[in-house]
Amino acid sequence: MKVNVNAVNFAVDGKLVDFIQQRMEKLGKYYDKIVSSDVFLKVEKTSDKENKVVEVKLHVPGDDFMVKKQCKTFEEAVELAAESLERLLVKRKEKINAHI
């Protein structure tokens, strides 16, 4: 799967990119037809400590899944987004298998 990491208005650390790629690759075991994913990293300009925003757009044939999470760290937000996507992919797989 191709993983595109886009940081908005800041430079992203190499370790963070590696973490995101590894976490997105794990989604393949839930649904094997994933084409690519776009990960957008943003820092909100608020006084709130939870100002790191991660948006993940997952491209699968016939559909796109979009998940947005806001946390204290990018790693935590990526983890929560991936967990949400896992649930969505499992639901989609069950739905497709029900029609077969």
Side-chain angles (χ1 to χ4, degrees):
M1 168 189 13
K2 188 169 184 237
V3 180
N4 302 316
V5 179
N6 304 302
V8 181
N9 297 331
F10 70 96
V12 67
D13 184 39
K15 285 189 283 188
L16 181 59
V17 172
D18 291 342
F19 173 78
I20 291 168
Q21 288 195 317
Q22 288 175 352
R23 193 61 185 96
M24 292 296 121
E25 294 290 331
K26 287 182 185 175
L27 294 174
K29 68 182 174 190
Y30 296 96
Y31 192 75
D32 55 357
K33 295 179 178 68
I34 300 171
V35 178
S36 66
S37 63
D38 296 320
V39 182
F40 296 93
L41 308 173
K42 299 175 187 166
V43 179
E44 296 268 310
K45 298 233 187 308
T46 61
S47 58
D48 195 14
K49 287 198 184 342
E50 294 191 358
N51 65 343
K52 309 289 190 296
V53 179
V54 172
E55 289 183 33
V56 181
K57 189 172 188 180
L58 205 62
H59 304 282
V60 296
D63 228 343
D64 284 347
F65 295 113
M66 185 77 173
V67 174
K68 181 178 181 180
K69 296 291 176 188
Q70 187 167 343
C71 294
K72 288 180 185 171
T73 66
F74 283 122
E75 289 83 0
E76 187 182 0
V78 167
E79 196 62 43
L80 289 174
E83 287 170 11
S84 294
L85 286 166
E86 286 169 9
R87 288 191 295 275
L88 288 169
L89 291 170
V90 167
K91 276 186 193 174
R92 180 178 171 86
K93 197 171 188 180
E94 287 171 357
K95 195 171 160 185
I96 288 173
N97 288 342
H99 292 294
I100 296 174

